[in-house]
Amino acid sequence: MSVAIRVIPCLDVDDGRVVKGVKFENLRDAGDPVELAKRYDLAGADELTFLDVTASSGNRETTFEVVSRAAEQIFIPLTVGGGVREVSDVDRLLRYGADKASINTAAIARPAVIDEITRRFGSQVLVLSVDARRTQGGATPSGFEVTTHGGRKGTGMDAIEWAKEAADRGIGEILLNSIDADGTKEGFDLELIRLVRAAVHVPIIASGGAGAPEHFPPAVAAGANAVLAASIFHFGPDNAIAQVKKAIRDAGYEVR
């Protein structure tokens, strides 16, 4: 039985506002997160993802307030990431109305936190966010490296090996962000998706590079179970979600 492909708008939240950049830089304002969440829910989005892009340095309380307000307005699952470091952070996000938590840097620093969170809440609540970029000269076996700080810091870790370890530890899904493609509107990094798909059994959410509806079906063909984007939804036509779903459906895939 095939599982329907999910279409997920991503809201990068900075100090209570949605922002969008290119390759995680030159951020510009994209609106109020609660208003956008409501709009995307009504437009047919299957889920929403909030990423607090300044969580490590900014005011966490702002994010909790935004999550709470958004959760009251929407009827689709909400994933929240940024600043998730331990079991208590996930517990608090769930109490504020999130359905899932996304973890990145903290899991790289201490992989056992994946085990602790999934043991407490179940695999379905935890999404591993992987910010991967291409490496030069054989720096990693796969040619992709895990990065932190929005792609600005390398870890030396192979992105495919890290995805596999996290899946083995019980992560529910992998949000696969291509740093090289982010904000370029030139299409998803299909090679990256294929490599991770071959290595893991958990659902993959493809992220980074979508600029037109026709960019989405190739990501599904490469192995993505869900497709996530920001620019095309924030700055594109009002019916962008419907256009993306039509493109995926026309390519022969089931959508919700």
Side-chain angles (χ1 to χ4, degrees), residues 80-205:
V80 182
V84 174
R85 298 181 181 90
E86 53 193 41
V87 168
S88 60
D89 296 322
V90 177
D91 184 54
R92 192 170 180 205
L93 280 174
L94 297 177
R95 289 175 190 275
Y96 272 77
D99 298 279
K100 306 179 204 174
S102 173
I103 195 167
N104 184 346
T105 308
I108 294 168
R110 196 172 68 85
V113 73
I114 294 173
D115 310 61
E116 293 163 9
I117 292 170
T118 56
R119 198 179 310 132
R120 169 81 180 273
F121 301 106
S123 293
Q124 77 284 351
V125 307
L126 193 59
V127 178
L128 178 75
S129 184
V130 178
D131 293 340
R133 73 171 175 214
R134 290 170 182 271
T135 57
Q136 304 298 321
T140 60
S142 71
F144 290 93
E145 179 188 24
V146 177
T147 68
T148 62
H149 299 80
R152 292 187 294 279
K153 289 191 177 181
T155 63
M157 295 166 58
D158 185 275
I160 313 307
E161 291 175 3
W162 171 229
K164 186 174 187 312
E165 178 185 344
D168 290 343
R169 284 180 177 274
I171 208 82
E173 294 182 286
I174 292 173
L175 171 53
L176 186 59
N177 308 305
S178 168
I179 297 295
D180 304 298
D182 178 72
T184 63
K185 304 181 188 175
E186 294 171 358
F188 292 90
D189 190 326
L190 304 180
E191 182 189 4
L192 176 62
I193 298 168
R194 287 191 198 101
L195 285 170
V196 176
R197 175 74 287 153
V200 306
H201 58 278
V202 299
I204 295 171
I205 305 165

Side-chain angles (χ1 to χ4, degrees), residues 41-94:
D41 185 7
L42 292 171
D46 300 306
E47 296 183 14
L48 281 177
T49 294
F50 275 18
L51 296 178
D52 182 347
V53 295
T54 50
S56 50
S57 57
N59 182 356
R60 295 292 292 144
E61 295 307 315
T62 304
T63 302
F64 285 117
E65 187 229 342
V66 168
V67 169
S68 178
R69 284 168 47 222
E72 290 172 0
Q73 299 282 343
I74 64 174
F75 301 95
I76 53 178
L78 173 62
T79 300
V80 182
V84 174
R85 298 181 181 90
E86 53 193 41
V87 168
S88 60
D89 296 322
V90 177
D91 184 54
R92 192 170 180 205
L93 280 174
L94 297 177

Side-chain angles (χ1 to χ4, degrees), residues 16-33:
R17 298 289 292 178
V18 175
V19 295
K20 186 66 191 112
V22 176
K23 299 186 180 179
F24 288 67
E25 295 180 345
N26 303 319
L27 302 179
R28 62 170 168 155
D29 189 272
D32 176 74

